[in-house]
Amino acid sequence: MLVLLVALLTGLHIYQDFGVSIDEVSQREIGYVAYMKATDTYPGEYTYKYRDHGPGFEWVYMFFEKLLHTSSFRDIFLTRHLVTYLFFVCSMAAGYTWIYRVFGSRWLAAFGLAALLFHPVIFGHAFFNPKDIPAMCMFLLAMVTAHRAFRKQKLVAYFVLGLVCGYGTTFRLMNIIVLAPIALFLLADIVSAYSQRKNAGKLILAGLLVCAGTCITLYASWPTLWDDPIAGLQYVYETSAQYPWKGSVQFAGQLIPATDLPWSYIPTWFSITTPELFLLLGIIGVIICISGIIRSPGMYFRNTPLRSVLLALICFFLPLIIVIRLNAVLYDGWRHMYFIYPAFVMLAVFGLHELLKHRAKTIVWSLCALQLVLIGVFMYRNHPFEHVYFNSFVSHEKNYLVKNYELDYWGTGHKHGLEWLAEHDERYGIKVFMDIWTLRDNYKFLDKPMHSKFILTWDIFEAEYFLEFFRTNPYQFPNKDAPESRIIYEKEVLGSPVYRIVKLR
């Protein structure tokens, strides 16, 4: 309760601090188009360019938008930030119950909850990332529901599991992968029932109910499937597997096409942006789990609490194997793979559980507390850029990160840059160069009285200031072709500027 209370109070206190990210406006458009399709108000044939993007959580946003009658740009996106964060916290609380049921320890469950909530990268994204965080939440809820279904062994529980899996797939198609270990465990239970001459019919029916529930919510929540489900799913799969984004990513100091990523892209990002102790405990959990499966596979495949550990192992590694095998298009760090993190936390708690059997408990728990304190200090000092987190396994020397990895690739810093300018330049009608739509979105997100402070212009020769965030391209100003330009403000995280304000003349 204390961990949850801290998370809730913190979120309610800071949710207005984050800017609007690059994809938030287009994501709302996806939800609004789905709403028009559902209400039969979409003009003409349904050929919306983002119809391959699952609108699962956008339905929730639209519900609150209509319920609260929000109309101003600022109120709409403040509501979205708050709804996303509250959904995140509630889903992670479900993760607490899962860990507690498996290990029977409130201390281990509380540590797991803290690891789920206070991963700096994911915590920051939990406000302004309307795609990857909800998808991660639904993947966790699917694993929690799977554990409950296998524990209860009731048909209703299996049907609910199918509903959760289907709805989660409408957040991100890759979420359907959770059905693989579920099918494996059902098959193991059916074989066990036959070998013991028990009635396997109930288990077969349970599998059919999982499939039925999945199909129901998948179809009902995704307008792309309404006219032709098979063709719609084929289109979504083909587009998702090789998403037509031809940009490049900055990785280990190189610009690499997103269509030609090395296999190490996701493992590296995951390893350098996850807190050290969480990472080490997860590795320990993976090693112990694999060795346990080799020694005594029945303990993990039978319907025991250890089945959840095996479920986590599969749900962590199988998506990694698939994206590497398909050479999937990924960008902006490992955000497309955030959904594997709860499974990794389960493995980390398993590693901690086994470690506490053989080592001094006081030392181990002290290290856990120290890690959480260090995370808290980093998040406090760098708010609202806690999502630009790198652990000590990568250098924090001056400008090292900005030369090697992407930082605030969402562009949320534009809000803070405009606020800083409004505070430090007393004039009205300040001309700011608008090189990307994110600046316009964050301008609209400001309090209305601040709008008159700025004039946004696409003309670099007319503009007085240039606000720039770091994604992949080097900062453009100052340079030799603009000798009058100078940096008047930079926001640094871990020795590298995440955004800068340049006075052009």
Side-chain angles (χ1 to χ4, degrees), residues 450-464:
M450 206 179 292
H451 288 177
S452 57
K453 292 282 293 184
F454 302 103
I455 295 175
L456 305 185
T457 175
W458 292 98
D459 187 350
I460 189 67
F461 299 104
E462 179 185 11
E464 301 171 272

Side-chain angles (χ1 to χ4, degrees), residues 122-157:
I122 289 173
F123 178 85
H125 278 242
F127 295 91
F128 56 77
N129 184 334
K131 297 191 288 189
D132 309 298
I133 295 301
M136 180 192 76
C137 292
M138 285 306 302
F139 200 71
L140 171 59
L141 291 176
M143 291 188 288
V144 173
T145 311
H147 170 79
R148 184 178 185 276
F150 286 116
R151 182 170 60 87
K152 294 285 188 180
Q153 291 284 295
K154 294 186 180 298
L155 294 178
V156 173

Side-chain angles (χ1 to χ4, degrees), residues 302-316:
R302 288 199 300 269
N303 197 4
T304 68
L306 285 177
R307 175 176 278 187
S308 281
V309 180
L310 177 57
L311 174 66
L313 185 74
I314 295 172
C315 288
F316 178 72

Side-chain angles (χ1 to χ4, degrees), residues 14 17-18 123 378-386 491:
I14 68 173
D17 297 348
F18 298 89
F123 178 85
F378 170 84
M379 292 168 67
Y380 177 79
R381 288 179 175 175
N382 296 285
H383 175 74
F385 294 97
E386 44 268 83
K491 172 63 178 178

Side-chain angles (χ1 to χ4, degrees), residues 158-322:
Y158 284 106
F159 182 64
V160 171
L161 171 60
L163 294 176
V164 173
C165 291
Y167 186 51
T169 304
T170 67
F171 286 47
R172 175 152 283 158
L173 185 63
M174 181 67 88
N175 277 24
I176 202 169
I177 205 170
V178 74
L179 289 175
I182 291 171
L184 176 65
F185 296 152
L186 276 171
L187 181 61
D189 289 346
I190 292 170
V191 171
S192 176
Y194 271 117
S195 65
Q196 298 176 28
R197 297 184 178 181
K198 294 181 180 179
N199 182 16
K202 181 180 178 180
L203 291 168
I204 295 174
L205 181 57
L208 293 174
L209 286 173
V210 172
C211 292
T214 300
C215 292
I216 288 171
T217 49
L218 181 60
Y219 178 82
S221 303
W222 206 329
T224 299
L225 309 181
W226 291 355
D227 298 327
D228 189 340
I230 302 301
L233 274 177
Q234 183 179 0
Y235 171 75
V236 171
Y237 170 75
E238 291 174 351
T239 307
S240 300
Q242 291 296 330
Y243 189 68
W245 190 72
K246 301 186 183 302
S248 297
V249 300
Q250 176 147 305
F251 180 65
Q254 295 181 322
L255 276 180
I256 302 174
T259 54
D260 191 27
L261 296 176
W263 70 267
S264 59
Y265 182 75
I266 294 297
T268 300
W269 267 106
F270 183 86
S271 299
I272 64 177
T273 59
T274 297
E276 298 88 343
L277 186 65
F278 299 171
L279 190 64
L280 294 174
L281 288 175
I283 293 172
I284 291 172
V286 168
I287 293 172
I288 294 174
C289 180
I290 293 175
S291 61
I293 294 170
I294 294 172
R295 289 197 313 269
S296 181
M299 290 296 295
Y300 289 82
F301 280 92
R302 288 199 300 269
N303 197 4
T304 68
L306 285 177
R307 175 176 278 187
S308 281
V309 180
L310 177 57
L311 174 66
L313 185 74
I314 295 172
C315 288
F316 178 72
F317 279 106
L318 186 57
L320 287 172
I321 293 170
I322 289 175

Side-chain angles (χ1 to χ4, degrees), residues 40-60:
D40 202 26
T41 56
Y42 185 80
E45 186 181 354
Y46 189 57
T47 56
Y48 179 57
K49 61 180 178 179
Y50 294 134
R51 65 188 184 278
D52 59 301
H53 287 52
F57 201 58
E58 294 303 320
W59 293 112
V60 179

Side-chain angles (χ1 to χ4, degrees), residues 18-25 27 57-58 61 77 80-85 87-88 121-137 171-172 331-339 387 409-410 412:
F18 298 89
V20 176
S21 64
I22 285 178
D23 285 350
E24 282 193 84
V25 174
Q27 278 296 117
F57 201 58
E58 294 303 320
Y61 287 131
F77 286 93
R80 289 173 66 92
H81 287 185
L82 184 58
V83 169
T84 308
Y85 183 73
F87 181 62
F88 166 70
V121 177
I122 289 173
F123 178 85
H125 278 242
F127 295 91
F128 56 77
N129 184 334
K131 297 191 288 189
D132 309 298
I133 295 301
M136 180 192 76
C137 292
F171 286 47
R172 175 152 283 158
Y331 47 92
D332 298 338
W334 60 289
R335 71 175 181 86
H336 294 100
M337 302 296 291
Y338 283 170
F339 67 93
H387 56 284
Y409 40 76
W410 283 112
T412 60

Side-chain angles (χ1 to χ4, degrees), residues 425 427 431-433 457 459-466 477-478 481-488 502-505:
D425 191 327
R427 297 175 301 143
K431 295 179 179 179
V432 180
F433 179 56
T457 175
D459 187 350
I460 189 67
F461 299 104
E462 179 185 11
E464 301 171 272
Y465 294 99
F466 182 32
F477 294 96
D481 297 324
E484 297 180 5
S485 63
R486 68 182 190 277
I487 301 169
I488 60 171
V502 175
K503 187 170 177 55
L504 296 173
R505 53 188 55 83

